[in-house]
Amino acid sequence: MENFNYYTPTRVVFGRGTEEKVGELVKAQDCSKVLVHYGGGSVKKSGLLDRVFRSLEEAGVSYLSLGGVVPNPRLSLVYEGISLCKREGVDFILAVGGGSVIDSAKAIGYGVANEGDVWDFYARKRQASGCLPIGVVLTISAAGSEMSDSSVITNEDGWLKRGYSSNFGRARFAVMNPELTMTLPKYQTASGCVDIMMHTMERYFNQCGNMELTDGISEHLIRTVMKNAKLLMDEPDNYDARAEVMWAGSLSHNGLTGCGTDGGDWACHQLEHELGGMFDVAHGAGLAAVWGSWARYVADARPQRFAQFAVNVMGVEAGADEMETALRGIEAMEAFYRDIEMPVCIRDLGVEPTEEQMRELAEKCSHFRKRTVGCVKKLDVDDMYRIYKNALKYEAKQIHGVER
């Protein structure tokens, strides 16, 4: 087991009706003015935004609001939020929404607390020295941003999607009412479940040795999400299933499932970020579309690990050959994606990159040949291109090594 630091400062307020407590939670932060940051019409139509405003008013908290966050949140709105906060003297941000809203709030917080261009942090040119304090009212179980140190922003200039991680950006509190997720469309629920699973799978596929306890937590978390994702396809108002998925989303990305590991692989996230930047696809769906291609491409570097995943997570019977078991586990995961109506290839996303676009995706993912990604197998720009190409369409008899 590797050395590790585990830091989770976020207070979680979980359960039915907990959004009614947001006023007292914000007031306890001793702030003078709050920016309520949110996305589109759903928080308005559901009445959630009005309940949040009312709770703040009853607590005597001064606030203003900024909506308009979209999936794959845009840098332009972040700049608008930074300007608004500086002009109005905002000293606390309340994100009401899912991962995109929370990520946007974090970026605004970095921009207010630090001089210069906030994009510098996402472009890895410098590190933040602080962030406005953030609170969250979570409406979508997916990104885990409510308890993580990370955020992802899309720069419209070049459509670059980049992430930044800093403990300064961790939320002070997260209000989590599973009921708020019950009206989500089936596709968004399924996409969120994939995102949650992938946050643990990215950490699970690593180059480490013994991690019995962390592996057990990770394997059970993934199985729990798979079980409840299937339930929610037919029972969207199943509170217990919503609660299991919501809590799994936080635990999957707050560092718990990475304790004792080398940090994990994360190549699939990097590959998907470019798909999301270019085609604006749902993050979890994009991850499902590239995962099988990535897994087949790298499995020979860690066949034992993939075989363990196949047996312990996917319920595959162990064969005499680890690689054969590993491949059957990959196929089983793709079958699960189909069961919850998620893609297993890029064409399933409704997009079909040209040869030129796949080359561009690989160039951007490699930061224009300045980095490799992954740890199971370090991937350069040519590897990235081949994975995109293999992922373009699903081949029923696709085997490891296609197009390599």
Side-chain angles (χ1 to χ4, degrees):
M1 183 177 288
E2 302 290 326
N3 294 355
F4 65 89
N5 290 310
Y6 181 51
Y7 179 61
T8 54
T10 304
R11 177 183 178 184
V12 174
V13 183
F14 193 102
R16 293 182 172 92
T18 46
E19 67 273 17
E20 303 294 342
K21 300 180 180 181
V22 70
E24 63 185 73
L25 289 166
V26 173
K27 188 172 184 178
Q29 300 300 316
D30 195 27
C31 54
S32 60
K33 185 173 287 188
V34 176
L35 174 69
V36 180
H37 199 34
Y38 62 97
S42 59
V43 293
K44 290 183 177 180
K45 291 176 183 177
S46 68
L48 173 61
L49 198 60
D50 285 338
R51 295 199 300 277
V52 168
F53 289 159
R54 183 171 61 251
S55 183
L56 292 172
E57 290 163 3
E58 290 173 352
V61 176
S62 177
Y63 68 89
L64 64 157
S65 64
L66 176 65
V69 181
V70 296
N72 300 308
R74 306 294 198 255
L75 182 61
S76 58
L77 187 64
V78 169
Y79 286 149
E80 183 180 340
I82 293 168
S83 177
L84 177 63
C85 287
K86 288 182 175 180
R87 185 171 65 250
E88 297 292 335
V90 166
D91 55 1
F92 190 89
I93 303 175
L94 180 66
V96 182
S100 294
V101 173
I102 303 168
D103 286 2
S104 183
K106 290 179 180 181
I108 292 170
Y110 291 132
V112 175
N114 299 270
E115 296 298 324
D117 189 349
V118 70
W119 182 249
D120 288 348
F121 306 132
Y122 294 85
R124 292 174 170 78
K125 293 180 179 179
R126 58 192 178 104
Q127 295 293 317
S129 59
C131 182
L132 281 191
I134 308 290
V136 174
V137 179
L138 187 65
T139 63
I140 300 174
S141 305
S145 191
E146 67 278 0
M147 286 189 75
S148 80
D149 65 352
S150 61
S151 68
V152 181
I153 298 295
T154 298
N155 187 339
E156 298 97 318
D157 183 8
W159 294 104
L160 300 174
K161 187 175 178 181
R162 297 287 183 263
Y164 181 65
S165 297
S166 168
N167 281 328
F168 290 121
R170 288 186 185 268
R172 299 290 181 88
F173 64 80
V175 173
M176 299 167 62
N177 177 1
E179 293 173 313
L180 300 180
T181 69
M182 288 181 178
T183 57
L184 291 173
K186 183 185 291 189
Y187 186 86
Q188 198 167 6
T189 295
S191 181
C193 288
V194 173
D195 195 8
I196 293 167
M197 292 164 56
M198 282 297 304
H199 284 147
T200 290
M201 290 158 65
E202 295 278 28
R203 295 172 168 93
Y204 186 89
F205 291 106
N206 54 57
Q207 289 287 1
C208 295
N210 175 56
M211 299 170 298
E212 184 176 344
L213 180 57
T214 298
D215 281 355
I217 293 170
S218 300
E219 290 162 359
H220 191 76
L221 188 151
I222 297 167
R223 292 196 304 269
T224 297
V225 175
M226 292 174 68
K227 171 189 172 182
N228 287 285
K230 288 185 176 180
L231 281 174
L232 290 173
M233 294 302 98
D234 297 320
E235 304 173 36
D237 59 350
N238 185 319
Y239 179 86
D240 290 335
R242 290 284 180 187
E244 294 285 356
V245 169
M246 179 171 269
W247 187 223
S250 294
L251 297 183
S252 189
H253 206 31
N254 73 356
L256 177 65
T257 58
C259 289
T261 77
D262 55 11
D265 189 83
W266 296 101
C268 286
H269 265 73
Q270 302 306 312
L271 291 162
E272 194 289 323
H273 283 172
E274 303 312 327
L275 274 177
M278 182 177 289
F279 297 107
D280 211 23
V281 298
H283 179 53
L287 289 169
V290 300
W291 185 80
S293 176
W294 166 82
R296 289 184 177 88
Y297 197 87
V298 306
D300 65 337
R302 285 284 272 160
Q304 182 277 333
R305 194 71 176 158
F306 277 87
Q308 178 180 318
F309 179 83
V311 173
N312 292 357
V313 176
M314 303 311 302
V316 170
E317 186 175 345
D321 180 79
E322 286 183 335
M323 194 64 193
E324 179 187 350
T325 303
L327 290 172
R328 286 196 283 120
I330 294 167
E331 291 168 359
M333 179 55 78
E334 289 173 326
F336 166 75
Y337 290 155
R338 291 193 193 90
D339 284 346
I340 60 170
E341 300 178 21
M342 282 284 99
V344 294
C345 66
I346 293 174
R347 281 182 180 170
D348 287 350
L349 292 167
V351 299
E352 188 161 351
T354 64
E355 180 76 12
E356 182 180 357
Q357 285 174 320
M358 285 189 287
R359 295 284 184 186
E360 181 183 348
L361 287 168
E363 289 287 337
K364 288 181 175 179
C365 189
S366 69
H367 288 189
F368 303 98
R369 304 182 180 239
K370 293 179 181 178
R371 70 164 183 172
T372 60
V373 299
C375 76
V376 174
K377 183 180 290 185
K378 290 191 180 298
L379 307 174
D380 63 20
V381 66
D382 293 325
D383 297 315
M384 297 170 196
Y385 161 74
R386 290 171 186 138
I387 291 172
Y388 283 127
K389 189 168 184 178
N390 291 348
L392 182 59
K393 62 180 180 179
Y394 181 79
E395 300 286 355
K397 297 182 179 179
Q398 187 181 43
I399 60 171
H400 174 71
V402 169
E403 297 287 341
R404 292 189 60 185

